[in-house]
Amino acid sequence: MTAQRQDPDPPADDLDLRFRAGDEAALREAYDRYGRAVLHLATSMLANRSDAEDVTQATFVAAWLGRDTFDPAKGSLIGWLLGIGRRKVIDRMRASARETRVVETVRQLPEPTQSEPSPDRVVDRLVIADELARLPDDQRRMLELAFYDDLTHQQIATVTGVPLGTVKSHIRRGMASLKRRWEVDGAAPGPRPAGLSGAR
């Protein structure tokens, strides 16, 4: 008696193609089928459950809006969604890190004295902290060492092991970026906040 051979996998459906074509029913089906996988990815990388849920929603929104870039011939829909999910998680982690740096900057500010209130200085330092967070990692690190730790170019090169010329280049480019953003953001004319006059 010959045993009947069974296919190990069910036949593939056309969800990938329907999703790419803009079928809203396919969007619902994709969320029902893969939403848990994206949420699991997000919760495994983020400490906050609410953030993970937001990332999951943002992933499907981004996927739906960019569905014409999905190519079923190059990979599965779940793989594509997880790739978007990873990028959204990284974006959320970077945003959280920026918020943490701003909070830490506020905590390090001296207590204001009644005789010399300086709200403008507080605002300036918050703006600088936020703008520093937008710079590439290398430029931001060099500027933080120069301004917050008050190190010279040579000391920064020694501490980081980065060549002196590269240190100067990073600081110069970082300062130029900060200056452009300061002007574009509509900062009031006047003296620059402490620390933006240049590094040694």
Side-chain angles (χ1 to χ4, degrees), residues 27-46:
L27 171 61
R28 166 59 62 181
E29 188 176 340
Y31 185 83
D32 290 343
R33 187 180 298 186
Y34 303 131
R36 285 187 178 182
V38 176
L39 179 61
H40 176 75
L41 169 71
T43 53
S44 69
M45 299 176 69
L46 297 170

Side-chain angles (χ1 to χ4, degrees), residues 94-164:
R94 287 175 175 166
S96 296
R98 284 181 56 195
E99 292 170 3
T100 299
R101 282 194 291 269
V102 171
V103 169
E104 287 302 316
T105 298
V106 172
R107 287 178 179 170
Q108 294 172 12
L109 293 175
E111 290 293 331
T113 60
Q114 292 186 357
S115 60
E116 293 181 342
S118 55
D120 289 342
R121 182 174 175 80
V122 174
V123 171
D124 286 344
R125 290 196 64 175
L126 289 175
V127 170
I128 292 170
D130 185 60
E131 294 299 343
L132 279 173
R134 298 169 188 257
L135 294 176
D137 291 342
D138 290 338
Q139 292 180 24
R140 184 181 68 250
R141 177 62 175 153
M142 301 303 167
L143 287 174
E144 287 174 345
L145 288 172
F147 298 138
Y148 295 144
D149 296 341
D150 199 27
L151 300 183
T152 66
H153 291 167
Q154 184 60 59
Q155 289 170 330
I156 293 172
T158 300
V159 168
T160 61
V162 175
L164 180 60

Side-chain angles (χ1 to χ4, degrees), residues 181-200:
R181 286 176 177 147
W182 189 267
E183 293 169 349
V184 169
D185 288 345
R192 290 277 181 252
L196 279 185
S197 58
R200 302 170 306 290

Side-chain angles (χ1 to χ4, degrees), residues 1-12:
M1 182 173 173
T2 305
Q4 186 175 6
R5 187 172 64 85
Q6 297 181 348
D7 293 332
D9 299 316

